[in-house]
Every structure is written in C-alpha cells, then in structure tokens.
Amino acid sequence: MALKARVLYDFHSENPGEISITENEMVTLFNEEELEGWLEGENSRGEVGLFPASYVEIIRDHITSNNNNNGLSSPKSKALTPTHTSNTSSDTQSQKGLGAGSGGSGGGSFHTSHGSDDDWDDDWDDSSPATDAPQSFGSTPPLYPVTTSLPGRRESTQQQQHHAKSSGTVGRNLNRFSTFVKSGGEAFLLGEASAFVKDGDRICVVMGKHGPEWQEDPYPFTCTIDDPTKQTKFKGMKSYMSYGLTPTHTNIQVNRRYKHFDWLYARLVERFPVISVPHLPEKQATGRFEEDFISKRRKGLMWWMNHMISHPVLAHCDVFQHFLTCGADEKAWKQGKRKAERDDLVGANFFLTISTPPVLLDLQEVESKIEGFKTFTKTMDENSVIVNATINEFARKQAIGFKKEYQKVGQSFKLLAQAFEIDQQAYSVGLNKAIADTGEAYEAIGEYFAEQPRQDLDPISDLLDIYRGHLANFPDIIHVQKGALTKVKDCPKKEGELQDRCNIISCATLAEIQHFHRTRVRDFRLQMQHHLRQQISFFQKITAKLEDTLQRYDDDQ
C-alpha cells in the first residue's frame, strides 16, 4: 500500500517541480526517504511534486510492507528529481523579460552569453589561485557563497512543530533556490553576515526629496569608446576586436576585448545583488568582424558604459575602476582580477557596506512603493515591446517600401521627360530637363528615406535594448526586498531586530528604483529630443530638395 501522510502546515509552491499542500490534507508519498529535507508525492488534487518533509507527518497505520516496493520510487518521482538537484531554478528565467538574452542583477544568476565569441578561455590566469574562487560562467559552481542546495534533514517531529508554529523563531526559507536566499538577503537578515568593511567600501543612502537615494557622485567622469581595431595573435591564427577606452579622470587609453567586459559584468552582478547592472550587447559566434555588427556592438557598449559611469555606486567600485585604469601591465591586471574574484563583500556581506539614514522606513509604505514599481516595470516592459516592434517595422518600410515607391515615381517622371524629348522644339528643352530633374529628385528622396532610420529610429531601439536589460533585472531585486519584508512579518517577536536589517535592504532597493527613474527620465527625454530634431532635419532636407527642383521650372521661363 502507498505511504500516506497528513499535512501539518500550509506550503505554497514557488518553483517548477514543487506542489502546494494545505493543513490536514492527506498526501500520498512515493518514497519515505527524504531528498535533503524534501519528500516526493501526490496531493489530493492529483498534482505530483516535492514538498518539505517537515510539513507532513507520515501515518504509519497505512504502511503494510516495504517489501512490496523493494525500495524503488515511483517513476513519477524519479522524473522530478533533477528539477531540484541542479543549481538553476525558475528564478533565473524571470530575468529574461522582453525577450532579453538572459540576465538579471538581483538574483542568483547573471547575463553572460554563451558562445564562441572572443576566445573566452585564452589569455586568462587559469592556473592562478583565483580559479578556486566562485566562478561566474556555466552552471556550476553556484554564484554566491551561500548554500543553493535543498534544505538538510529536519529535527524531530516535535521540534518541527514547535519551530513552525512559534512566531518567535526565525526560520529559514524552505525554498533554497529563492533569489532571496541566493542573493544573501536571508543570511544578512538573520544576522549571519560577517566581514570587515573599510571606509572606502561604504555605500551611502541618503534621504532625498522623493525618498531614499544613492549619495550623489562627487567626482563624476565620462568614458569614450573608440572604434575597435582588429588584432591577431598566434601568428595570425586567432583574431579579436580591441576597444580603446579613455576615461576622463585619467585621460589614459586602455584596450579591452569583449571578454574583459563579460568578466567585469559577472563580477558586478556577484558584488551588487540589489543594483541593476546594465546588460552587455549580445555575443555573436559568426560575423564578428563585419562592419555592421562592429558598429552595433560599439553603440551597445557605449550605452552600457554611459549607464555604468552615471551610477554613483557602480562608477566608483574597485573592480570597475581596475577595468578602466589598469594599463598594459599584465601582472597588475592579474592582481586586480584575483582581488575582485576573492572579494569578501558579496552575497550577505554586501549589505554590510550600506549606510542608511537614521530614520526607519515605514514597512507598509515601502511595500506599497515596491508594488507600484512592480506594476510600472511590467507595463513598461509590455509597451516597450510594442514600441520596438512598431519602429522596426516602420524602419523596414522606409528602407524598402518608401524607397521603392519614391523611385517608381521618379522613374515615371523620367519616362515622361524622355517622351517629351521626341519633340525637337527648342522651347521645350528646359521643361524636359526640369521634369527629368524632378524624377532624379524623387529617387534621391527615396534614398533619404532608406538612410533615415539610422538617424532617428535605430537610436530609440538601442535605448530600448539597454532598458530591456534593466527591466529583466528588477524582478529579482524586488524579490530580495519582498523576501525580507515577508520574513519580518512572519516573526513579530523579533520584529525590532529584523526590521533594522530589513530597513537596510529596503533603503538600498528604493535608492536603486529612484536612480532607475531619474536615469530613465534623462535618457528618454534626450532620445526623444534627438529623434524629433532628426525628423525636422530630415523633412527640411526633403523640402530643400523639392524647392531646388521647383526652381528648375522657373529657370526655364
């Protein structure tokens, strides 16, 4: 007979492979053996999956013999096991948003495209001790130095019941794949973070007019990215593109390959779990040296760089400054690389670096703001897709349809002029030439339409690309903050102790949201102004062409 168990406490599934169970419900177990604190079975609704072992009590009266089962699990349970034994979860999927590549900054994963771009493995200090540090590429090992495995076996049944029911006990999140757990947010909230924070590593949140904000950058700078040059090595056997970066606070150019940007991105995502690190332009395995791709990648890197240097926290972090300022000294580069990979201020320890205003935030007000922002990002995400699709379709019509139609009109005028030229009357020569010029003018206008999207529509699409990455990041950032709020609500007897740490997470999250809004307003205002100026210039160019053509008819009189 199948094993039966009575549910002691409600459990709501959060990931694929889990099932929800309710108090006093009878569930069927496929196997009495726990899988790191989880059991596999079927609930009363016929749903099959995993649930916490500590939330159910096995009814021994229903166990007749273990010999009939021969210790084998149901085929259903075996199929489910891989879902919870890997280091990936559905949390990473939420970062895709808007059809982005992959990405996310607040959770347990980050945007590092896979492919054969720029020979990722070569030239790095693979034999250095830094290789023992948490790695950033592939699926293993996990990103953060906190556990991402399933919960360990629980205490006895009496202890389980006491822990689950006592509001004075701060329990761990049963979902160890949760972004709240993987980011280090839970460990910090429970007081488990421990690291020495130097003054230079302090990140200050101040109370601004609209709420918490990152402290303004006292030393702003800019950085240019020159057109890349093609470089070779191994006597020409391998080629790559090198980008010249010149930050204004040093005015010294450094050369970086795309793989260096990729490495930096991974370090930043690991270092700052509640900051939206802008996504890099996608990798490409083929056509990497084609002019159009090089131009598009450079524009994408410029948007990325502009968002990096405008962020008061990211712009001055050690690893970014090392990336911008370390020259051709290979030894110095590797030392900085190792230091970044051994950084202790990641995961839970990151939150130790944040200094907040002395006043505690109202948790209900924080929750309301977070929910409002969540709605905003969802709507912006959906509508950005519509805008991007619309302008891309319009650009396609301009480049192909409009050009073709204007050329047809121009050719028809030329044919008319050719017909008129059959008449050899001297007084018709000027008219014939003017009509032919009109045809050429229309053909030229067709070319104007084909070229114009590069000036006014493509920049909007590029802007939407960089914000697509930000919108993909925020679900995980919000998840960390909501996890902290939920933990405080669930433990009212320890509310004071937890609220101080929750306040730090809330301040950082709201400061990042405020920075996002300010940057968004700046970027879209400038881009729409640029678009309209380009449109005005475009139609003025057409008007000037037509006016010049019109003048040809006056010259004939």
Side-chain angles (χ1 to χ4, degrees):
M1 183 179 294
L3 297 173
K4 292 289 184 178
R6 179 181 291 106
V7 179
L8 301 174
Y9 320 109
D10 292 347
F11 171 73
H12 300 287
S13 62
E14 295 184 8
N15 293 292
E18 298 174 356
I19 58 173
S20 297
I21 53 178
T22 57
E23 187 175 355
N24 292 324
E25 179 183 0
M26 297 297 292
V27 296
T28 301
L29 305 181
F30 295 147
N31 197 312
E32 188 177 359
E33 183 178 355
E34 295 180 20
L35 177 64
E36 295 187 341
W38 296 73
L39 288 171
E40 299 168 293
E42 183 177 352
N43 62 18
S44 59
R45 295 176 298 282
E47 298 169 340
V48 175
L50 297 169
F51 46 85
S54 60
Y55 275 45
V56 301
E57 181 180 28
I58 297 175
I59 301 175
R60 298 293 170 181
D61 293 343
H62 285 267
I63 304 176
T64 58
S65 174
N66 289 330
N67 295 330
N68 293 334
N69 203 14
N70 290 326
L72 297 178
S73 301
S74 162
K76 293 181 181 179
S77 67
K78 291 183 179 180
L80 284 166
T81 302
T83 303
H84 284 263
T85 55
S86 67
N87 284 329
T88 59
S89 75
S90 63
D91 287 326
T92 62
Q93 302 302 317
S94 66
Q95 301 164 351
K96 292 184 178 178
L98 253 168
S102 59
S105 177
S109 65
F110 41 82
H111 168 83
T112 49
S113 306
H114 296 284
S116 57
D117 195 337
D118 280 348
D119 305 309
W120 167 250
D121 301 66
D122 65 331
D123 289 353
W124 287 117
D125 188 20
D126 293 330
S127 61
S128 72
T131 57
D132 295 329
Q135 299 297 304
S136 306
F137 302 95
S139 60
T140 57
L143 174 60
Y144 296 107
V146 296
T147 178
T148 54
S149 64
L150 292 167
R153 294 180 179 272
R154 308 297 182 192
E155 309 98 326
S156 67
T157 303
Q158 290 182 345
Q159 290 174 315
Q160 293 166 8
Q161 295 175 3
H162 172 73
H163 280 241
K165 292 294 185 180
S166 173
S167 60
T169 301
V170 186
R172 287 186 170 278
N173 192 326
L174 285 167
N175 178 14
R176 310 314 292 167
F177 297 101
S178 164
T179 303
F180 177 50
V181 176
K182 293 191 292 182
S183 68
E186 182 192 57
F188 170 73
L189 197 72
L190 299 181
E192 297 175 2
S194 176
F196 175 73
V197 181
K198 298 180 294 185
D199 290 341
D201 292 324
R202 292 286 177 190
I203 300 172
C204 293
V205 177
V206 298
M207 190 59 68
K209 181 179 179 181
H210 303 286
E213 299 176 351
W214 299 119
Q215 188 174 53
E216 187 176 350
D217 183 0
Y219 305 107
F221 64 94
T222 59
C223 182
T224 60
I225 300 181
D226 296 337
D227 288 330
T229 57
K230 187 175 181 180
Q231 305 290 332
T232 60
K233 61 181 182 178
F234 301 138
K235 297 182 179 181
M237 293 179 63
K238 287 194 175 184
S239 302
Y240 60 90
M241 302 304 297
S242 177
Y243 299 84
L245 280 57
T246 308
T248 55
H249 64 312
T250 64
N251 286 319
I252 299 175
Q253 186 182 83
V254 297
N255 295 311
R256 297 287 180 258
R257 294 170 59 180
Y258 183 86
K259 69 174 185 179
H260 299 140
F261 285 90
D262 208 30
W263 171 84
L264 172 64
Y265 178 85
R267 300 278 73 74
L268 292 169
V269 170
E270 181 183 28
R271 178 73 168 78
F272 301 106
V274 291
I275 290 179
S276 178
V277 180
H279 287 197
L280 288 168
E282 290 290 338
K283 286 189 176 182
Q284 183 167 311
T286 59
R288 290 182 288 131
F289 305 117
E290 294 177 1
E291 185 176 345
D292 286 347
F293 173 72
I294 292 171
S295 174
K296 183 174 178 60
R297 171 176 277 186
R298 179 178 173 274
K299 288 191 295 183
L301 290 176
M302 277 304 306
W303 272 113
W304 181 86
M305 182 63 70
N306 289 339
H307 274 225
M308 285 293 301
I309 63 178
S310 66
H311 197 291
V313 177
L314 297 177
H316 292 281
C317 69
D318 289 345
V319 64
F320 184 53
Q321 286 299 314
H322 175 67
F323 174 82
L324 290 179
T325 60
C326 185
D329 186 341
E330 184 178 354
K331 183 177 180 180
W333 171 260
K334 289 182 178 180
Q335 287 176 343
K337 177 177 178 286
R338 292 171 185 169
K339 179 182 177 183
E341 290 169 345
R342 293 169 175 169
D343 192 355
D344 289 332
L345 300 178
V346 299
N349 290 342
F350 160 75
F351 297 100
L352 297 175
T353 67
I354 300 173
S355 299
T356 60
V359 180
L360 287 176
L361 301 176
D362 181 271
L363 294 185
Q364 288 187 342
E365 184 178 347
V366 170
E367 189 170 20
S368 176
K369 287 182 177 180
I370 294 296
E371 284 300 318
F373 182 71
K374 185 177 178 181
T375 302
F376 168 83
T377 53
K378 182 177 183 296
T379 305
M380 180 179 174
D381 192 337
E382 294 169 348
N383 292 350
S384 293
V385 172
I386 296 173
V387 173
N388 204 37
T390 302
I391 63 176
N392 285 336
E393 176 62 16
F394 186 57
R396 187 191 66 79
K397 288 181 179 178
Q398 283 192 228
I400 300 175
F402 289 9
K403 176 182 176 179
K404 184 177 180 180
E405 295 303 319
Y406 270 91
Q407 287 178 337
K408 280 185 177 180
V409 173
Q411 290 167 3
S412 68
F413 284 145
K414 284 185 174 181
L415 291 174
L416 180 62
Q418 290 175 10
F420 284 2
E421 286 174 1
I422 296 176
D423 179 15
Q424 298 296 320
Q425 301 296 333
Y427 52 76
S428 70
V429 173
L431 174 64
N432 299 344
K433 181 67 168 60
I435 294 176
D437 288 345
T438 301
E440 292 180 355
Y442 270 80
E443 288 181 337
I445 291 172
E447 293 291 343
Y448 294 167
F449 272 101
E451 297 167 358
Q452 186 58 24
R454 293 175 179 266
Q455 309 301 322
D456 54 21
L457 294 178
D458 286 0
I460 294 178
S461 185
D462 293 337
L463 177 62
L464 292 174
D465 278 346
I466 195 74
Y467 275 89
R468 176 179 63 183
H470 285 301
L471 293 172
N473 290 341
F474 273 105
D476 282 341
I477 294 175
I478 290 173
H479 191 83
V480 174
Q481 197 279 332
K482 288 180 72 69
L485 279 176
T486 301
K487 188 71 70 175
V488 172
K489 289 180 180 179
D490 290 347
C491 308
K493 291 186 178 179
K494 294 209 172 216
E495 183 175 344
E497 179 182 337
L498 297 181
Q499 189 168 357
D500 289 342
R501 301 189 192 106
C502 181
N503 187 68
I504 292 175
I505 296 176
S506 297
C507 282
T509 304
L510 292 179
E512 185 60 18
I513 290 173
Q514 190 65 233
H515 174 76
F516 171 83
H517 280 314
R518 289 187 180 278
T519 306
R520 172 184 57 83
V521 170
R522 177 201 68 187
D523 287 346
F524 279 89
R525 175 183 286 119
L526 291 175
Q527 200 57 66
M528 293 308 297
Q529 288 174 338
H530 172 81
H531 172 77
L532 292 174
R533 290 191 184 103
Q534 288 295 322
Q535 283 278 289
I536 292 170
S537 176
F538 171 63
F539 286 108
Q540 286 176 339
K541 186 178 180 180
I542 293 176
T543 301
K545 188 70 175 178
L546 294 174
E547 287 177 342
D548 179 66
T549 305
L550 177 61
Q551 188 65 37
R552 307 294 174 88
Y553 293 88
D554 295 335
D555 293 342
D556 179 48
Q557 296 179 356

